[in-house]
Amino acid sequence: MADILIVEDEDILREILKDYFLNEGYSVLEATNGEEALKVFQENELSLIILDIMLPKLDGWSICRRIRKSSNIPIIMLTARSDEDDTLLGFELGADDYVTKPYNPLVLLARAKRLLCNREQKNDMGNDYLESGGIQVHTPSRTVQVNKKEISLTHTEYEMLIYLLENKGIVITREQFITKVWGYEHIGDDRTINSHMRNLRNKLGDHSTCIKTIVRTGYKFEDLR
């Protein structure tokens, strides 16, 4: 089963989460501060990180920023603050999901499973490549190239691009994105989806025009002309 890293400085919360994941058969690694979290990340093959924001030595935002320089591993951020701007900042830095304390551990477990399941399903696809114009995705390795130059996408950005490519020419609503990529009904307002989409478009460069915004509805992928 997947290796999960739980980064949480509150011992009770960390132990509760650890027990839930262990009971599901996952292997769990722990870190109690930011520096320790980066060390564990660098020394282990991880499948998912659950990352608290308020940490000693190095905060969760700084950790997320550093990890995203070299990895698209799924990251779920935890925070005691419910400020919407904080949530959007987390997404802009590359977080895949965001959970506000206090939370139900079963809900967090379900969200983690969904991220892991999406990743495994894409790795098991029979068709190894998805292509459109200058965009090519190799699904077994989850690598994306634009005009034969590899770009780095977060887990969520990758899932959104795959969903668009698999449904080229079809309008995908924001609600459909939420259900497909996150697997539950509501993660925030439209700005959450817009934030991830803005990051994806920035990384696609000139090919970002393939993603059309359908006002008050969602998005559609069309080949460059």
Side-chain angles (χ1 to χ4, degrees):
M1 291 290 284
D3 285 343
I4 311 294
L5 171 59
I6 299 175
V7 188
E8 169 64 75
D9 63 323
E10 295 186 46
D11 294 340
I12 294 177
L13 291 179
R14 191 179 63 257
E15 287 300 320
I16 290 173
L17 275 183
K18 178 182 177 181
D19 287 344
Y20 271 90
F21 280 95
L22 288 176
N23 287 337
E24 292 293 318
Y26 294 102
S27 174
V28 178
L29 299 173
E30 304 171 68
T32 60
N33 63 64
E35 291 181 357
E36 185 180 355
L38 286 177
K39 186 173 186 295
V40 174
F41 164 73
Q42 292 163 357
E43 295 178 352
N44 294 273
E45 186 92 20
L46 301 171
S47 298
L48 182 139
I49 298 175
I50 297 174
L51 177 62
D52 190 26
I53 288 180
M54 304 307 294
L55 293 166
K57 298 186 178 180
L58 200 63
D59 63 44
W61 285 315
S62 300
I63 296 168
C64 185
R65 186 184 291 111
R66 294 191 189 188
I67 288 174
R68 282 293 174 251
K69 291 180 178 179
S70 62
S71 174
N72 65 358
I73 182 174
I75 297 175
I76 300 177
M77 300 193 81
L78 307 177
T79 179
R81 300 174 57 169
S82 58
D83 192 318
E84 209 165 60
D85 290 336
D86 282 357
T87 304
L88 292 172
L89 174 59
F91 286 138
E92 288 170 2
L93 292 176
D96 296 287
D97 205 349
Y98 211 102
V99 177
T100 302
K101 299 177 180 178
Y103 54 82
N104 183 334
L106 287 173
V107 172
L108 178 55
L109 179 62
R111 294 187 179 190
K113 283 183 174 181
R114 181 68 183 190
L115 287 173
L116 291 168
C117 182
N118 282 347
R119 197 175 182 89
E120 289 166 2
Q121 286 176 347
K122 292 298 185 296
N123 287 343
D124 290 339
M125 288 178 62
N127 184 5
D128 286 351
Y129 288 94
L130 284 172
E131 296 184 66
S132 184
I135 301 174
Q136 183 184 73
V137 181
H138 183 238
T139 54
S141 63
R142 296 175 67 88
T143 56
V144 180
Q145 291 188 340
V146 177
N147 289 337
K148 298 184 178 180
K149 181 179 180 180
E150 186 171 333
I151 62 172
S152 177
L153 300 183
T154 68
H155 172 85
T156 298
E157 292 159 5
Y158 175 87
E159 294 295 334
M160 293 178 78
L161 177 61
I162 287 287
Y163 196 25
L164 286 164
L165 288 172
E166 290 175 340
N167 295 276
K168 188 163 58 176
I170 299 172
V171 176
I172 301 174
T173 67
R174 289 175 173 82
E175 291 76 14
Q176 287 174 313
F177 268 120
I178 290 172
T179 301
K180 177 67 175 180
V181 177
W182 286 272
Y184 46 91
E185 292 183 356
H186 189 66
I187 56 167
D189 63 17
D190 287 349
R191 292 195 301 167
T192 300
I193 299 294
N194 296 345
S195 178
H196 286 294
M197 190 62 72
R198 181 171 59 253
N199 292 343
L200 174 58
R201 281 171 159 163
N202 286 340
K203 292 178 180 181
L204 291 177
D206 293 340
H207 285 70
S208 63
T209 55
C210 289
I211 303 175
K212 309 297 182 183
T213 298
I214 310 302
V215 179
R216 297 190 184 91
T217 304
Y219 301 92
K220 178 172 65 171
F221 190 97
E222 294 180 348
D223 286 327
L224 284 175
R225 295 178 184 178

